[in-house]
Amino acid sequence: MTRGITRRRAETRQRLIEAAYATFSETGIRDTPVELICERAGFTRGAFYSNFASKEELFLAVYEVQMGDRADRLRAAVESALAAADPSDGDSVATVLREAAALFMESPAADETWYLLNAEFRAQALRQPELRASTAAAERVFHDALAPLLQDMLDRLGLRLTVDPHAAVITIITLYETMLQRALLNETPSTADNSFLTEVLPRVLAALVTLKTGEPS
């Protein structure tokens, strides 16, 4: 019986998370009432509050799912790029990142929608001190997922970072978000001007790496 209740609870949470993402995307986080999320998910307010203490807590659950999906997508893109990489390429890190970026950019519209929601919530968290710790913790989980991915990619290329892996991850994320922001402000699809991601970003990261010491030439 306990297992059945646990499974139902997980399914309820998943439906609320999916409904929240869809509703937030349409009306924004601030202007989305809890009742609208419940209606879309097919639950009562009681079901909502038995799973989430607030709309902000629900957004952080949405954040966890969305960033987990993006980490998986990036991991698959890097693996594909590494598999196609030429070991004799003297500019291997830029080449791999360029190819991975091209694969990752297959869903720019979804990322632009997510960027808007994430930017809205981050601004809210900056204004509300009680949200800062949980927001920072959620971002750290994402950074912790990407740091070993980046290190593994470089290790397989015979390279290492000259800076802290988390600092490199933050640099990559900031550049990517800047590209999305520019696309939105200029009202142009991000694929129309993705040189920032496919050319600038690889070069920036290439400047943060060096050959591993003790590696055979």
Side-chain angles (χ1 to χ4, degrees):
M1 181 65 70
T2 302
R3 174 179 288 182
I5 293 173
T6 302
R7 185 167 57 247
R8 275 201 305 276
R9 184 180 181 86
E11 290 172 353
T12 299
R13 285 178 61 88
Q14 182 60 32
R15 283 171 58 184
L16 285 168
I17 289 170
E18 291 173 356
Y21 177 67
T23 311
F24 288 156
S25 297
E26 292 171 0
T27 60
I29 301 168
R30 187 194 64 180
D31 295 330
T32 297
V34 167
E35 292 79 6
L36 189 58
I37 297 171
C38 293
E39 179 182 342
R40 190 159 197 154
F43 294 120
T44 63
R45 283 173 57 92
F48 177 93
Y49 285 110
S50 68
N51 285 277
F52 301 101
S54 65
K55 186 170 60 174
E56 290 73 25
E57 184 178 300
L58 173 56
F59 177 81
L60 289 173
V62 173
Y63 181 96
E64 180 181 357
V65 171
Q66 289 294 318
M67 299 316 269
D69 288 346
R70 280 158 178 75
D72 290 343
R73 199 172 93 211
L74 183 58
R75 188 175 295 108
V78 168
E79 283 295 330
S80 295
L82 284 170
D86 180 0
S88 65
D89 184 0
D91 203 13
S92 56
V93 65
T95 301
V96 168
L97 279 178
R98 193 178 301 115
E99 292 300 317
L103 292 169
F104 189 78
M105 284 293 292
E106 289 179 355
S107 305
D111 274 6
E112 287 173 4
T113 297
W114 175 244
Y115 171 76
L116 289 173
L117 292 179
N118 198 25
E120 179 185 351
F121 189 81
R122 189 177 295 165
Q124 183 177 345
L126 289 171
R127 288 181 176 275
Q128 298 177 231
E130 66 274 15
L131 293 177
R132 292 175 187 170
S134 55
T135 302
E139 290 187 349
R140 264 195 311 273
V141 169
F142 183 54
H143 296 167
D144 288 344
L146 294 192
L149 171 62
L150 177 60
Q151 288 183 297
D152 178 63
M153 180 192 77
L154 294 174
D155 185 62
R156 290 161 67 177
L157 294 171
L159 302 166
R160 66 174 178 83
L161 284 165
T162 58
V163 297
D164 177 76
H166 285 76
V169 165
I170 291 171
T171 299
I172 294 170
I173 292 172
T174 301
L175 287 173
Y176 183 61
E177 289 182 344
T178 297
M179 184 274 299
L180 291 174
Q181 184 183 87
R182 286 181 56 188
L184 288 163
L185 290 175
N186 295 330
E187 298 184 336
T188 57
S190 54
T191 49
D193 182 23
N194 64 6
S195 61
F196 200 67
L197 185 65
T198 60
E199 297 297 333
V200 177
L201 176 57
R203 295 299 175 186
V204 169
L205 185 56
L208 302 178
V209 303
T210 186
L211 286 172
K212 294 175 67 176
T213 57
E215 290 292 320
S217 57

